[in-house]
Amino acid sequence: MQQRYIDATNKFAALYGGGRETARFSVPGRSEILGNHTDHNHGCVIAAAVDLDIIAVASRSEGNRIRIKSEGFEEDIVEIGTNNVEKFTSAALIAGVCDGFIKRGCNVGGFDAYTTSDVLKGSGLSSSAAFEVMVGTILNHLYNGGNIPAVEIAKIGQYAENVFFGKPCGLMDQIACAVGGFVAIDFADEPIIEKLDFDLNAFGYKMCIVNTGGSHADLNEDYASIPGEMKKVAAYFGKKFLREVEPCDIMNNIPKLREYAGDRAMLRAIHFCEENERVEKAKHCTLPEFLQLINASGNSSYKKLQNIYSVKDVNEQGLAIALALCESILDPKTTAHRVHGGGFAGTIQVFLPSDDVERFKTVIENVFGAGSCLTLNTRNYGAVYET
């Protein structure tokens, strides 16, 4: 870790000048544990920060210009207060975070930053949320004395992604990155965050993330269809979010809902209700119960939520291949697997005994390539800053 900061500091100096007073920042990626596609309809989730992160070296600058050079990408230069930015770009996220600060009456100002990340883009570990929280954390400490709560920075990050970037995500990713640890989050009104005392290592278990290498290009419509269809079911009952509807009312009105919203929307609404129940049960359960709930979540995502592949390209089904491999080589009584993150492409999540990791990794990497299977640990803290 120390060498990463040294390298980043040297690259910052080469780009933006040496001898400047700098600060160092770290924001973790996150892994969704339960609650697949529920946060955007005010549902319940369990998530955990992981030991992969984005780090930054930053320094205040004169004027209202933010310059961020992320390793491996072109430099972003954003004028604070501008709304004229291209959607689906990192510049849009920067502009959106600034606008979120301004709308809340918080201080903003120019800065230069160099960042590097081992939160793989497209890995389902929420590289975009980590970036948003990073920008917010830099502004918080450089211009607001670090007084803005982590949850508020998470909300600003979500605002940036929804309004400026153009992706209608929920708030889970940003909260998990900002707060850290194993957390249960209830989004019914204001987010209620409950830290969970859960340690996979204590059970002799590991979490693996399998990157199937699928393309995330042109999937925004697929992602947006899920909250949209769930909200359409809610609208039948005169509600804005599905959490406001009683599950029994949904089940008692299936024929009318099929006609009003369509069969897929109906199935996605059932998934939402059942997933909330799984989250509640998982907050206080044994390891065998935890594994059973994870497997049930994965089964529901496949059959009801239907986010394993895009209907726009049925020939690309890397997630389905990975899940089929898990069914073939893993014991369902002692392991669990499910789609990870938004779905449609990208990654799956696997929980298994530590002794089985190398055998599993060998099989997976034979199919998806070297480095496709990541073994992760939970990080107990969220966004951090040091001078």
Side-chain angles (χ1 to χ4, degrees):
M1 174 65 76
Q2 191 65 28
Q3 190 59 49
R4 286 178 73 204
Y5 279 119
I6 292 171
D7 293 343
T9 300
N10 290 336
K11 290 177 180 178
F12 173 91
L15 280 168
Y16 300 119
R20 297 173 62 175
E21 182 179 350
T22 59
R24 305 189 303 182
F25 302 85
S26 168
V27 177
R30 72 93 185 99
S31 179
E32 171 197 285
I33 308 300
L34 275 172
N36 198 211
H37 278 288
T38 58
D39 57 338
H40 45 59
N41 268 263
H42 291 194
C44 300
V45 304
I46 293 177
V50 298
D51 58 349
L52 298 178
D53 68 344
I54 175 174
I55 67 168
V57 174
S59 178
R60 290 176 62 146
S61 62
E62 298 296 326
N64 289 316
R65 176 176 293 178
I66 292 175
R67 298 186 296 180
I68 299 179
K69 176 65 171 76
S70 298
E71 185 177 35
F73 297 91
E74 294 293 322
E75 180 186 47
D76 287 306
I77 301 176
V78 175
E79 296 289 337
I80 295 172
T82 183
N83 294 325
N84 187 25
V85 286
E86 183 181 353
K87 286 187 179 295
F88 309 119
T89 64
S90 52
L93 296 177
I94 298 167
V97 170
C98 290
D99 192 63
F101 268 68
I102 293 168
K103 280 182 164 54
R104 285 165 172 76
C106 302
N107 297 324
V108 294
F111 68 83
D112 300 325
Y114 182 87
T115 80
T116 181
S117 177
D118 56 15
V119 183
L120 302 177
K121 190 174 183 180
S123 65
L125 298 172
S126 213
S127 57
S128 59
F131 183 78
E132 297 152 17
V133 172
M134 175 62 78
V135 175
T137 302
I138 292 173
L139 287 172
N140 186 23
H141 287 280
L142 294 188
Y143 288 100
N144 294 274
N147 293 319
I148 303 173
V151 172
E152 198 63 25
I153 290 176
K155 291 179 181 179
I156 293 171
Q158 183 202 23
Y159 167 79
E161 191 154 347
N162 288 174
V163 177
F164 278 69
F165 187 82
K167 182 178 177 181
C169 68
L171 187 56
M172 177 192 69
D173 296 352
Q174 292 81 1
I175 285 184
C177 293
V179 174
F182 236 98
V183 292
I185 314 169
D186 187 331
F187 293 101
D189 293 304
E190 283 297 303
I192 300 171
I193 302 168
E194 180 182 349
K195 284 268 192 174
L196 302 180
D197 183 17
F198 191 82
D199 184 1
L200 284 170
N201 288 328
F203 294 109
Y205 269 67
K206 293 291 185 183
M207 175 173 66
C208 292
I209 300 297
V210 177
N211 189 347
T212 66
S215 172
H216 281 72
D218 197 31
L219 290 179
N220 283 296
E221 183 179 337
D222 293 288
Y223 294 132
S225 70
I226 296 178
E229 289 181 7
M230 288 182 179
K231 289 176 181 177
K232 187 170 183 178
V233 172
Y236 175 84
F237 298 97
K239 305 296 184 181
K240 186 175 181 181
F241 300 103
L242 204 51
R243 183 66 180 280
E244 301 171 298
V245 181
E246 292 295 329
C248 61
D249 289 335
I250 292 173
M251 299 306 294
N252 289 336
N253 287 276
I254 289 178
K256 294 177 181 178
L257 286 170
R258 291 182 66 193
E259 183 178 352
Y260 178 79
D263 287 352
R264 189 174 68 172
M266 182 69 243
L267 288 166
R268 285 173 166 174
I270 295 173
H271 164 85
F272 174 89
C273 297
E274 294 176 345
E275 194 79 338
N276 283 334
E277 292 178 4
R278 283 187 281 268
V279 168
E280 187 61 34
K281 291 177 181 177
K283 290 195 294 185
H284 308 285
C285 68
T286 64
L287 178 65
E289 290 169 339
F290 172 80
L291 297 174
Q292 185 179 31
L293 290 166
I294 295 293
N295 280 324
S297 173
N299 188 48
S300 180
S301 290
Y302 207 144
K303 294 179 179 178
K304 299 170 186 173
L305 187 63
Q306 299 180 36
N307 66 333
I308 304 303
Y309 62 90
S310 172
V311 295
K312 291 182 287 189
D313 185 5
V314 296
N315 290 317
E316 183 178 317
Q317 296 194 36
L319 292 180
I321 294 294
L323 294 169
L325 278 172
C326 289
E327 288 184 358
S328 175
I329 65 176
L330 296 179
D331 183 349
K333 295 180 181 178
T334 59
T335 67
H337 59 275
R338 65 195 283 274
V339 64
H340 182 246
F344 299 108
T347 59
I348 68 164
Q349 177 188 68
V350 182
F351 297 91
L352 71 169
S354 300
D355 293 343
D356 294 341
V357 169
E358 287 306 315
R359 181 181 69 90
F360 175 73
K361 184 175 181 180
T362 298
V363 174
I364 287 297
E365 295 195 348
N366 184 55
V367 175
F368 296 106
S372 58
C373 183
L374 303 175
T375 303
L376 300 177
N377 295 305
T378 302
R379 171 167 144 168
N380 292 325
Y381 53 94
V384 293
Y385 148 83
E386 60 180 289
T387 55

